[in-house]
Amino acid sequence: GVFTQTVYGPFMARLEEAGYREGETLFVFDYDWRQSVFVNVDRLAGFIAKNLPDDQAFDIVAHSMGGLLARAYALEQDTAPIARFVTAGAPWRGSVRVFELLREGWGLGNLLLGGVESFRRTAMSFPSTFELLPDYDGCCASEASGGGFDATSAAGWDALHWSGIEGERLPDFRAVTARQAQLRDIAATPLRPGTEEALVIGIDQRTAEHYALETGEGEARLNVVTSWEGDGTVMRDSAMLPERAVYSTSFARHDAILNDEAVQ
């Protein structure tokens, strides 16, 4: 329609300039980011099996949530001949931005969706919303500080009193917490020997780092502390993994990080 975003176009053009050809040596996997990482892993496995011979070594470049599902694939298919595995802006430990979006919605875009209440109702139906909640060190207030929030129970979400978040529509939190724990294990597990891995992260962009939710009788108040230690969406502490090769850029925001020439 009238709303467009240029997210991967320049990156694709750079790959084509380097000699890659879409459908021959360059394959683009489109996935539904609203769904669970684990639903998309199965689809990615089918996509790779369809397009590449079993013994054909290949590289993966994955952006944002795509890094989570690509890594889940790489560990699940531990015999897959992945030569190089590059992720950019992957939220291994989630993002405080999720809470900012639930509180405010998409700004003027809310008018097209029927208001922030409709936005919340829709966003809370996405499994990915709960898989991208932050849990890195320093992300969240504790109960002792007066701003604690239990994101693992319906009672915790009900206590926000945010219109559009309705208890009867909330997911099974036992399944949610199991998926969250599985994602943390995936981030912590090294890829098989022989796979070269590199993380591209963004810094020096104003990013939501820490949140506290103050609940009471009325609507909960969301307090967010920002810093320059992220890419505008994902904090360095969420994007980093220990003992990995890391490349950082100060010039690109999260959605356009692959278009940065230094990153390319």
Side-chain angles (χ1 to χ4, degrees):
V2 297
F3 299 101
T4 62
Q5 286 183 293
T6 300
V7 180
Y8 302 117
F11 178 59
M12 292 287 290
R14 178 65 177 266
L15 290 176
E16 290 171 352
E17 288 172 6
Y20 290 91
R21 293 294 175 263
E22 190 168 358
E24 298 175 9
T25 54
L26 173 62
F27 301 91
V28 180
F29 175 66
D30 302 310
Y31 68 95
D32 187 343
W33 53 267
R34 300 168 299 181
Q35 295 284 359
S36 169
V37 165
F38 300 102
V39 169
N40 285 309
V41 166
D42 292 338
R43 294 173 179 169
L44 175 58
F47 177 84
I48 291 174
K50 177 182 177 181
N51 287 285
L52 292 171
D54 291 340
D55 59 349
Q56 173 66 60
F58 58 92
D59 304 329
I60 289 179
V61 178
H63 173 242
S64 195
M65 180 181 167
L68 301 181
L69 73 96
R71 188 177 191 84
Y73 164 82
L75 293 172
E76 184 178 285
Q77 309 286 331
D78 60 357
T79 60
I82 302 172
R84 302 180 189 87
F85 186 88
V86 181
T87 58
W92 305 115
R93 304 299 296 270
S95 172
V96 172
R97 181 68 177 144
V98 172
F99 286 108
E100 288 188 313
L101 286 170
L102 288 175
R103 183 70 184 99
E104 305 297 337
W106 275 340
L108 293 176
N110 294 338
L111 298 175
L112 300 175
L113 299 170
V116 69
E117 178 179 339
S118 179
F119 173 89
R120 289 177 188 148
R121 186 176 295 112
T122 302
M124 293 294 285
S125 74
F126 300 164
S128 60
T129 295
F130 299 93
E131 295 176 359
L132 296 174
L133 294 176
D135 78 339
Y136 54 86
D137 291 343
C139 73
C140 322
S142 67
E143 292 288 348
S145 67
F149 165 66
D150 182 8
T152 64
S153 72
W157 289 95
D158 279 337
L160 297 181
H161 300 298
W162 286 356
S163 58
I165 296 181
E166 301 155 353
E168 64 273 14
R169 294 175 178 265
L170 292 173
D172 177 355
F173 281 97
R174 290 171 299 181
V176 167
T177 54
R179 293 199 306 271
Q180 290 171 335
Q182 192 174 353
L183 284 170
R184 304 312 170 232
D185 288 342
I186 286 167
T189 304
L191 299 181
R192 73 186 184 99
T195 299
E196 182 181 357
E197 182 176 7
L199 279 64
V200 177
I201 66 172
I203 56 174
D204 297 333
Q205 302 288 335
R206 179 68 75 178
T207 308
E209 177 179 23
H210 172 92
Y211 82 92
L213 281 160
E214 298 177 6
T215 59
E217 294 184 1
E219 287 196 351
R221 179 178 177 180
L222 173 65
N223 298 312
V224 172
V225 176
T226 63
S227 79
W228 295 96
E229 294 295 312
D231 63 12
T233 297
V234 179
M235 284 295 300
R236 180 207 296 263
D237 287 346
S238 177
M240 294 280 286
L241 291 176
E243 300 179 5
R244 308 312 201 278
V246 175
Y247 302 87
S248 60
T249 174
S250 299
F251 305 106
R253 291 184 62 81
H254 179 77
D255 60 346
I257 194 168
L258 287 175
N259 296 334
D260 182 78
E261 289 188 5
V263 170
Q264 291 172 0

